[in-house]
């Protein structure tokens, strides 16, 4: 028998191990597996138990089959993309146009699903090296895709694809960054909504999610392309909202660009300068006292019912979009445009009161929100748990425009030394911005408080800021006179108002200012003694600015300028002053006569405080100056006449650190600011809320009557009779001491300080040095 036969005895051996297998000559053949077995069975009739069981027993597709299906589709997409790109190069664009049409925003969510778009993206990532210039419509369609509103899986694939695209084709960097910069604006969310929304999401899609995706993509691209900041900066400038756009548009974009500085330190300085420049453009338009807006009921004081635009669900901003469009259309006619470059505006005609009040209300709210964002950015940027928290003096009220996510961010892992180094670098950046832009901007009201607050963080910052102002005002021989006068005004206002400027610092400033005044008087006396023609008034403009600075600092800090007596008995009824202050007597009695040129408010306040403190008596000179305006004496010097327009404007109207009235951001200034009520003498605890126009009207009404009374009173009295008489002098201010003084007559020193506003009754057009 054939040993290989099926009937051989060798096939009947039992196995040596394992379970026993019975002998079987014939095994049943297994049925053949075919694709028909997995075909869909017809739907069973209702109540058909056999049909239901057949559906329940249908085999489920395994993961391997799903992967095979995906790979098959991917291969098909890649083949189609290659064919379309090649035919485009050959001059046939039908398939290429169909490929571009797949990324049409109108089809997203309709015929094209996110999973299908994801397959197209994955297919295109394999042929990036084949993209030529003629394929740019395809790249533009992909870049313009509303990907931020789609599901997370597609967003992840899209982010990786854009990184691969720019790595292979850097020429598309400007296109991608331009779209990202545009996406940081407030209007971009509305445009993305019109294009299409996400397929499905467990939670509503908010603007915060959209902006987070944009920042993630930008941060990812920055890690791939180190030279990206040089291309990004001009695009951020181009997309910055105009000052006429709505408050929410300003706040949204500024919040986003400030977030860019957190991961793109190369642009931090330029972005900060850009924001401050826009704040200045809005600041110079606010030439009205905020008390007037409060009386009209148009000033927004930051209610807690405001909303955060980042938390608004995408698709619920229809009303905002319409209102913003109406506002921009109303402003586009240019009838109410008041720019920094053109100072005329509506000054010739009387503006429509309701429209003007509404415009001022919008500008005030915009500036307040912008400064609040910058303050929050400074206060949060270098926060670490172990170090001292840089918090505002009082707990600020929750703002509508502060992101709730910010409070949940993890503390910075940097050490205290690193944080101090970063803070110092940022202060020098802010100081450079002040030197380049803020000090050269006439009539800015609030933007300069950024460096006011930052100087309070470190005594070194305080000294550096004062040093810059002293250098500009006293040593800047090549600096325009107007800028030097502005620096003197900043220095005087800063030393007077800053609580963190201690006694020694105030005395040092007075020392250098008085030294400059003495030096200038010596030069002037030498010219007069030599018989030469004295220089014109413009030559002495800095002298008058420095003199006014000394007067203002004395009114606020006279207690710090006193000296201690060695003998206790010698100090009875007397005060001993700094030796450097002796030059003030020479200054006010010199032919330059600063009491006639300086601001009348400052002169009258200085005269009152100087008399009350037994420092010097000025009313006789003030009265003589007042009479000389009507009857010039034959021996008067021509240069004393007020013939220089910019000197008047600079000295009379510019007090940089006037009381801070913005409601939202005022919490950062309150604990650092010296109010007049804290340094007033006797009954002069009035607030700083005076009005210069009312004061000037009172001057005109009482001028003739007050002149005679003041002249008689001054001739009858003496410098030491301050507390024994009441004398009405020029400016409608009374010398304290009369028991019969009424509240209406005693305007007080505080109201005059409130009148030192940068909003004069008759604005003067002054061209600042650029």
């Amino acid at each position: 028998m054939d040993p290989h036969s099926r009937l051989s005895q060798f096939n009947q051996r039992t196995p040596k191990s394992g379970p026993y297998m019975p002998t079987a000559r014939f095994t049943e053949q297994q049925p053949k597996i075919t694709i028909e077995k997995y075909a869909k069975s017809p739907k069973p009739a209702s109540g058909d138990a056999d049909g239901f069981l057949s559906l329940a027993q249908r085999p489920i597709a395994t993961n391997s089959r799903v992967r095979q299906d995906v790979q098959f589709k991917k291969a098909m997409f890649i083949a189609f993309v290659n064919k379309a790109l090649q035919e485009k190069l050959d001059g046939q664009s039908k398939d290429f146009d169909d490929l571009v049409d797949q990324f049409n925003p109108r089809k997203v969510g309709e015929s094209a699903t996110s999973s299908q778009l994801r397959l197209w993206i994955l297919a295109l990532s394999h042929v990036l090296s084949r993209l030529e210039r003629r394929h740019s419509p395809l790249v533009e369609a992909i870049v313009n895709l509303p990907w931020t509103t789609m599901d997370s899986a597609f967003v992840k694939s899209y982010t990786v694809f854009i990184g691969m695209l720019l790595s292979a084709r850097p020429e598309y960097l400007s296109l991608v960054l331009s779209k990202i910069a545009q996406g940081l604006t407030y209007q971009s969310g509305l445009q993305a909504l019109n294009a299409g929304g996400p397929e499905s999401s467990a939670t509503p899609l908010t603007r915060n999610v959209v902006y987070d995706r944009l920042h993630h993509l930008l941060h990812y691209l920055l890690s791939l392309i180190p030279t990206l900041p040089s291309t990004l900066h001009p695009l951020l400038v181009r997309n910055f909202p105009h000052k006429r756009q709505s408050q929410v548009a300003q706040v949204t974009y500024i919040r986003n660009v400030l977030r860019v500085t957190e991961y793109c330190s190369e642009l931090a300085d330029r972005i900060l300068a850009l924001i401050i420049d826009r704040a200045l453009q809005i600041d110079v338009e606010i030439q009205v006292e905020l008390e007037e807006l409060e009386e009209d009921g148009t000033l927004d004081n930051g209610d807690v019912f405001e909303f955060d635009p980042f938390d608004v669900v995408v698709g619920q901003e229809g009303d905002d979009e319409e209102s913003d469009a109406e506002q921009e259309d109303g402003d586009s006619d240019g009838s109410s445009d008041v720019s920094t470059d053109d100072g005329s505006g509506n000054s010739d005609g009387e503006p429509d009161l309701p429209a003007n009040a509404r415009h001022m209300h919008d500008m005030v709210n915009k500036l307040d929100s912008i400064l609040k964002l910058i303050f929050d950015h400074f206060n949060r940027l270098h926060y670490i748990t172990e170090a001292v928290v840089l918090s505002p003096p009082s707990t600020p009220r929750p703002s509508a425009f502060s992101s709730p996510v910010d409070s949940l961010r993890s503390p910075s892992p940097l050490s205290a030394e690193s944080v101090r180094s970063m803070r110092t670098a940022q202060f020098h950046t802010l100081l450079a911005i002040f030197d380049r832009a803020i000090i050269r901007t006439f009539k800015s009201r609030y933007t300069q408080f950024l460096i006011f607050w930052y100087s309070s963080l470190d005594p070194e910052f305080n000294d550096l800021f004062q040093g810059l102002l002293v250098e500009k005002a006293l040593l800047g021989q090549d600096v325009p006179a107007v800028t030097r006068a502005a620096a003197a005004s900043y220095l005087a206002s800063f030393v007077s108002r800053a609580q963190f400027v201690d006694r020694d610092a105030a005395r040092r400033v007075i020392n250098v200012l008085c030294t400059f005044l003495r030096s200038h008087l010596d030069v002037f006396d030498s010219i007069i003694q030599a018989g030469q023609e004295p220089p014109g008034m413009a030559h002495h403009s800095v002298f008058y600015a420095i003199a006014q600075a000394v007067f203002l600092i004395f009114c606020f800090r006279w207690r710090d300028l006193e000296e201690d007596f060695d003998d206790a008995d010698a100090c009875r009824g007397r005060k001993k002053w700094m030796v450097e202050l002796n030059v003030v007597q020479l200054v006010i009695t010199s032919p330059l006569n600063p009491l006639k040129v300086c601001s009348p408010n400052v002169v009258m306040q200085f005269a009152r405080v100087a008399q009350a403190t037994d420092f010097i008596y000025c009313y006789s000179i003030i009265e003589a100056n007042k009479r000389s305006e009507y009857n010039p004496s034959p021996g008067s010097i021509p240069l004393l006449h007020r013939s220089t327009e910019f000197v008047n404007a600079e000295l009379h109207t510019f007090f940089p650190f006037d009381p801070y009235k913005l409601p939202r951001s005022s919490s950062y200034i309150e604990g650092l600011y010296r109010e007049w009520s804290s340094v007033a003498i006797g009954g002069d605890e009035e607030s700083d809320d005076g009005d210069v126009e009312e004061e000037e009207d009172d001057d005109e009404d009482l001028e003739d009557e007050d002149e005679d009374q003041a002249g008689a009173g001054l001739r009858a009295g003496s410098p030491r009779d301050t507390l024994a008489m009441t004398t009405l002098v020029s400016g409608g201010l009374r010398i304290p001491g009369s028991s019969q003084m009424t509240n209406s007559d005693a305007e007080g020193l505080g109201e005059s300080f409130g009148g030192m506003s940068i909003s004069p009754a008759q604005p003067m057009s002054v061209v600042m040095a650029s």
Side-chain angles (χ1 to χ4, degrees):
M1 182 180 293
D2 185 5
H4 301 287
S5 173
R6 291 187 294 111
L7 303 177
S8 173
Q9 59 179 347
F10 300 103
N11 293 333
Q12 299 179 7
R13 290 183 302 175
T14 58
K16 295 182 180 181
S17 62
Y20 173 78
M21 178 179 293
T23 303
R25 295 190 176 186
F26 300 96
T27 59
E28 185 178 358
Q29 187 176 4
Q30 297 294 331
K32 184 178 180 181
I33 300 176
T34 61
I35 192 66
E36 288 77 7
K37 184 176 180 179
Y38 296 97
K40 182 181 293 186
S41 302
K43 185 176 181 180
S46 178
D48 191 351
D50 297 337
F52 178 78
L53 292 176
S54 63
L55 287 177
Q57 295 174 359
R58 185 176 59 182
I60 301 175
T62 61
N63 291 335
S64 60
R65 289 185 57 83
V66 173
R67 285 196 295 267
Q68 291 176 3
D69 188 31
V70 171
Q71 292 295 334
F72 178 72
K73 290 183 178 180
K74 183 177 179 181
M76 288 178 49
F77 278 67
I78 293 176
F80 181 83
V81 168
N82 281 318
K83 180 174 175 293
L85 296 180
Q86 184 60 42
E87 289 182 352
K88 178 65 176 177
L89 297 177
D90 295 338
Q92 301 177 8
S93 59
K94 181 181 181 304
D95 291 342
F96 181 80
D97 293 340
D98 292 341
L99 178 60
V100 173
D101 196 54
Q102 296 297 320
F103 299 96
N104 189 344
R106 297 180 180 178
K107 290 190 174 183
V108 176
E110 297 178 359
S111 61
T113 62
S114 61
S115 59
Q116 184 177 353
L117 288 175
R118 186 166 175 264
L119 288 176
W120 285 117
I121 290 293
L122 293 176
L124 285 169
S125 63
H126 289 77
V127 296
L128 291 176
S129 58
R130 297 190 57 188
L131 293 177
E132 303 292 343
R133 186 176 298 273
R134 280 181 286 182
H135 300 141
S136 59
L138 175 61
V139 179
E140 294 175 359
I142 297 174
V143 171
N144 293 325
L145 192 69
W147 62 277
T148 55
T149 61
M150 306 186 74
D151 60 86
S152 302
F154 179 81
V155 170
K156 183 178 180 181
S157 300
Y158 185 88
T159 302
V160 175
F161 171 78
I162 293 296
M164 297 172 62
L165 172 66
L166 297 182
S167 299
R169 295 295 179 181
E171 60 267 21
Y172 293 112
L173 177 62
S174 180
L175 175 64
V176 174
L177 293 183
S178 178
K179 190 63 179 178
I180 293 177
Q182 183 182 359
L184 300 178
T185 61
Y186 178 73
Q187 291 78 6
S188 65
L190 302 175
Q191 297 171 359
L193 173 66
N194 295 332
E199 290 183 3
S200 62
S201 62
T203 58
L205 180 66
T206 62
R207 285 180 173 272
N208 200 21
V209 176
V210 173
Y211 295 136
D212 282 343
R213 292 174 173 179
L214 288 170
H215 285 291
H216 176 71
L217 174 60
L218 186 58
H219 194 186
Y220 174 68
L221 296 179
L222 183 63
S223 64
L224 298 177
I225 309 172
T227 59
L228 182 145
S230 60
T231 307
L232 179 62
H233 177 255
L235 298 175
L236 294 178
V237 176
R238 183 187 309 168
N239 287 276
F240 206 102
H242 190 266
K243 61 183 178 181
R244 297 292 179 183
Q245 292 191 19
S246 63
Q247 177 185 354
V248 67
Q250 305 281 343
V251 169
T252 299
Y253 192 78
I254 291 176
R255 279 181 61 175
N256 280 320
V257 294
L258 284 177
R259 184 174 174 183
V260 172
T261 62
E262 297 179 6
Y263 56 82
C264 186
S265 57
E266 293 86 351
L267 292 180
D269 297 349
R270 285 179 282 181
I271 289 178
L272 183 60
L274 174 64
I275 298 174
I276 293 178
D277 179 70
R278 291 300 189 271
L280 282 174
Q281 293 182 14
I282 299 175
D283 196 351
V284 295
E285 292 199 21
I286 305 175
Q287 299 304 320
V288 63
E289 296 298 333
L290 299 189
E291 290 79 4
E292 300 177 9
L293 297 180
E294 292 176 351
E295 293 175 0
D296 297 338
T298 59
L299 183 60
D300 186 7
N301 54 2
D303 295 335
V304 296
F305 299 104
E306 295 175 346
F307 65 92
D308 187 348
F310 279 44
D311 291 336
V312 176
V313 178
V314 175
Q316 299 181 0
E317 307 105 326
D319 298 337
D320 296 336
E321 182 183 15
E322 295 176 0
S323 61
D324 295 341
E326 292 177 359
Q327 180 180 1
E328 293 178 6
D329 294 340
D331 294 335
S332 60
D333 57 358
S335 59
S336 62
D337 188 16
V338 183
S339 63
T340 309
D341 300 331
D342 186 3
S344 58
N346 294 331
S347 58
D348 296 336
E350 186 70 16
D352 183 50
L353 192 57
N356 184 64
R358 190 183 311 111
H359 171 71
M360 287 295 105
H361 163 263
D362 293 339
M363 287 298 177
V364 168
N365 284 334
K366 289 176 190 177
L367 181 63
D368 192 10
S369 299
I370 292 173
L371 294 182
K372 178 66 165 57
L373 287 176
I374 301 176
F375 279 129
D376 291 343
H377 174 71
F378 287 159
N379 190 53
R380 184 184 63 247
L381 185 60
H382 311 303
Y383 172 78
I384 54 176
T385 305
E386 295 79 11
V388 178
V389 179
L390 305 177
S391 58
S394 60
T395 303
R397 183 169 37 195
S399 173
F401 306 113
S402 59
S403 174
V405 181
D406 296 337
S407 59
L408 303 178
R409 292 180 180 175
S410 59
S412 172
L414 300 176
S415 62
E417 194 65 29
S418 300
V419 169
R420 178 178 175 83
S421 177
M422 293 174 59
R423 191 171 33 177
T424 302
Q426 191 172 64
F427 173 77
H428 283 283
T429 299
L430 188 59
L431 197 64
I433 296 173
F434 173 84
D435 186 17
R436 182 176 63 252
I438 298 179
I439 196 174
R440 300 172 187 267
T441 303
F442 190 54
K443 293 185 179 180
S444 62
R445 299 175 66 94
Y446 300 108
T447 309
Q448 55 266 23
F449 276 91
L450 292 172
I451 196 166
F452 182 94
W453 178 83
Y454 218 113
S455 299
S456 67
L457 301 182
D458 197 311
E460 180 184 354
F461 300 162
N462 183 12
D463 294 339
L464 289 174
F465 182 53
Q466 294 183 55
L468 173 66
L469 297 176
V470 170
E471 180 183 4
K472 284 281 184 183
L474 305 184
L475 306 178
Q477 299 299 329
D478 56 343
V479 178
V482 178
T483 305
R484 296 181 66 182
S489 298
Y490 269 101
L491 181 62
S493 188
F494 182 76
V495 175
S496 300
R497 294 291 194 175
Q499 291 273 21
F500 49 88
V501 176
D502 56 12
R503 180 176 185 269
D504 294 337
R507 292 169 68 91
R508 286 195 299 268
V509 171
I510 286 292
N511 185 8
V512 296
L513 295 182
C514 290
T515 302
F516 176 87
L517 294 177
R518 183 178 296 276
S519 176
H520 192 88
L521 286 180
D522 294 342
V523 174
F524 179 77
D525 292 341
S526 62
I527 294 176
I528 297 298
Q529 293 175 2
Q532 301 177 5
E533 182 180 0
M537 191 176 188
H539 179 76
H540 304 288
S541 59
V542 179
F543 169 83
Y544 292 122
I546 299 300
Q548 178 169 295
V550 174
F551 298 159
L552 183 61
I553 295 175
F554 185 87
C555 292
F556 279 87
R557 307 298 297 268
W558 62 268
R559 294 175 179 85
D560 296 325
L561 305 181
E562 291 185 81
E563 296 282 6
D564 297 330
F565 282 93
D566 297 335
D567 188 0
D569 296 334
C571 64
R572 293 179 180 177
R574 297 179 54 193
K575 289 184 173 63
K576 182 180 179 181
W577 304 98
M578 293 175 56
V579 177
E580 291 79 8
L581 287 176
N582 295 335
V583 73
V584 177
Q585 177 73 36
L586 303 176
V587 168
I588 64 175
T589 57
S590 68
L592 295 176
N593 198 356
L595 295 181
K596 184 176 183 180
V597 179
C598 294
S599 171
N601 285 327
V602 176
V603 169
M604 295 308 303
Q605 293 157 23
F606 173 72
R608 185 177 183 184
V609 174
Q611 185 183 26
T613 58
D614 199 18
F615 174 62
I616 201 170
Y617 186 75
C618 304
Y619 289 112
S620 58
I621 301 176
I622 294 174
E623 190 59 31
N625 293 335
K626 187 174 168 184
R627 291 193 299 268
S628 67
E629 294 180 358
Y630 305 99
N631 298 314
S633 58
S636 61
I637 302 177
L639 60 90
L640 296 182
H641 189 270
R642 293 185 180 181
S643 59
T644 306
E645 196 73 17
F646 77 91
V647 174
N648 291 339
E650 187 68 29
L651 296 180
H652 295 186
T653 64
F654 192 60
F655 300 92
F657 297 114
D658 267 4
Y660 195 93
K661 299 297 183 180
L662 300 180
R664 291 190 186 93
S665 53
S666 61
S667 58
Y668 283 94
I669 306 300
E670 289 174 356
L672 307 175
Y673 193 78
R674 178 179 285 107
E675 301 288 349
W676 171 248
S677 58
S678 63
V679 296
I681 300 177
D684 295 333
E685 287 84 3
E686 290 85 353
S687 64
D688 294 325
D689 300 333
D691 187 274
V692 69
E693 294 185 6
E694 296 179 0
E695 187 173 343
E696 291 182 356
D697 293 339
D698 295 340
D699 294 344
E700 294 176 359
D701 297 338
L702 302 177
E703 187 174 11
D704 297 335
E705 179 183 357
D706 295 345
E707 180 178 359
D708 298 336
Q709 295 179 3
L714 289 172
R715 285 190 296 270
S718 64
R720 304 298 175 87
D721 295 334
T722 306
L723 302 179
M725 57 182 294
T726 302
T727 305
L728 188 64
V729 296
S730 174
L733 298 177
R734 292 182 179 273
I735 301 176
S738 174
S739 60
Q740 300 176 353
M741 182 182 298
T742 62
N743 294 334
S744 60
D745 295 334
E747 296 293 339
L749 192 54
E751 181 171 346
S752 296
F753 269 128
M756 291 194 312
S757 171
I758 56 178
S759 303
Q762 298 178 354
M764 302 178 184
S765 58
V766 180
V767 180
M768 296 296 294
S770 59

